Amino acid sequence: MTNQGTLLWPITRAMATRPNAEAIVDGETRLTYAQWGRRVRGLTSGLRSLGLRTGDVVASIGQNSFRHLECWVGIPAAGLVLNDLNYRLAVPELEFIINDCGARAIVADGAYLEVARQLKQRCPSLEYLVYSGVDSTPGGWAHWDDLCSATPLDEDHSELRAIAADTLSAISYTGGTTGRPKGVMQSHGNLLANAKHMLLANPLVPTDRFIHAAPMFHAADAATTLGELDTCPLLATQPQFLCRLFGVKRTRYARRGLPRLTRSQKVLKSLRHPF
């Protein structure tokens, strides 16, 4: 592998050590580490096929899903920079963020398609539109799955070898409570260190199951997400699952064992109800 300090490293290692283990559960979608890793690695050339180049910023807005998860890993692993947008913000606030970081592309699911269209009109830097939803791809948009299916760049490709621990991987914006949001610049090393700290505070083992209760745009979920890449073999990302859990309905997940969650007291209290 090119460098153990980058986000490509845990993916490549998982593909090599447990390729047939289940990595993703999102509705009816189930992917092994080999299948999911292949999608992520496809982005190294798929994103470049749009016209993006190393160091470009890619914004993302959408609900929790396995494709959203791929944004957190695949965009930085391709040598690009992720700007994961808080979908609770108003369009003018999102406009400021995209203009501030100069994002050249935006990835949006079906729920935020219209928001992305408005941002394309408002933000001069936005050139490329990528749809990550399940319906037909809108005209003028590329589909995320097509980018993932591209032939990956060779691991020894110069642009991948240039990615180092101190290479910028993501720009996460603060809430801007007392003023404009501030862009927090995070390197590959930063994100991997955060993941290691999360595992020290909340150890995960291969038999655990994890539900993404927190929104993926939030730093709390990002640290856990990246920690799972090298530890937990199942990522349950379906948002509707929590609704079924709160309704105390039995599901195949419940029968397989109680999943791990981010530390939300309200969520944990709900999970204490016997199935």
Side-chain angles (χ1 to χ4, degrees), residues 174-182:
T174 63
T177 306
T178 58
R180 293 287 195 181
K182 310 299 189 298

Side-chain angles (χ1 to χ4, degrees), residues 64-159:
N64 286 9
S65 71
F66 76 95
R67 293 182 179 91
H68 196 157
L69 186 67
E70 289 168 347
C71 287
W72 264 103
V73 184
I75 291 173
L80 305 174
V81 181
L82 173 65
N83 171 218
D84 204 359
L85 298 169
N86 181 347
Y87 52 68
R88 295 169 180 164
L89 298 179
V91 170
E93 295 171 304
L94 297 173
E95 176 187 359
F96 168 81
I97 290 173
I98 289 180
N99 286 336
D100 187 63
C101 69
R104 294 189 65 199
I106 186 167
V107 183
D109 64 12
Y112 295 95
L113 197 60
E114 183 55 37
V115 171
R117 287 191 175 112
Q118 293 182 48
L119 292 173
K120 176 66 168 63
Q121 295 176 348
R122 291 167 172 254
C123 304
S125 66
L126 280 181
E127 301 176 58
Y128 309 109
L129 302 171
V130 182
Y131 180 58
S132 60
V134 297
D135 297 323
S136 299
T137 308
W141 291 62
H143 198 283
W144 183 256
D145 289 351
D146 293 335
L147 303 184
C148 291
S149 65
T151 300
L153 293 182
D154 187 271
E155 291 183 8
D156 289 328
H157 192 283
S158 60
E159 292 193 56

Side-chain angles (χ1 to χ4, degrees), residues 236-257:
T237 62
Q238 186 181 20
Q240 293 87 345
F241 173 51
L242 286 178
C243 297
R244 294 201 301 270
L245 251 177
F246 294 157
V248 199
K249 295 181 180 179
R250 287 183 63 88
T251 71
R252 61 179 177 274
Y253 301 96
R255 291 193 292 272
R256 290 170 61 178

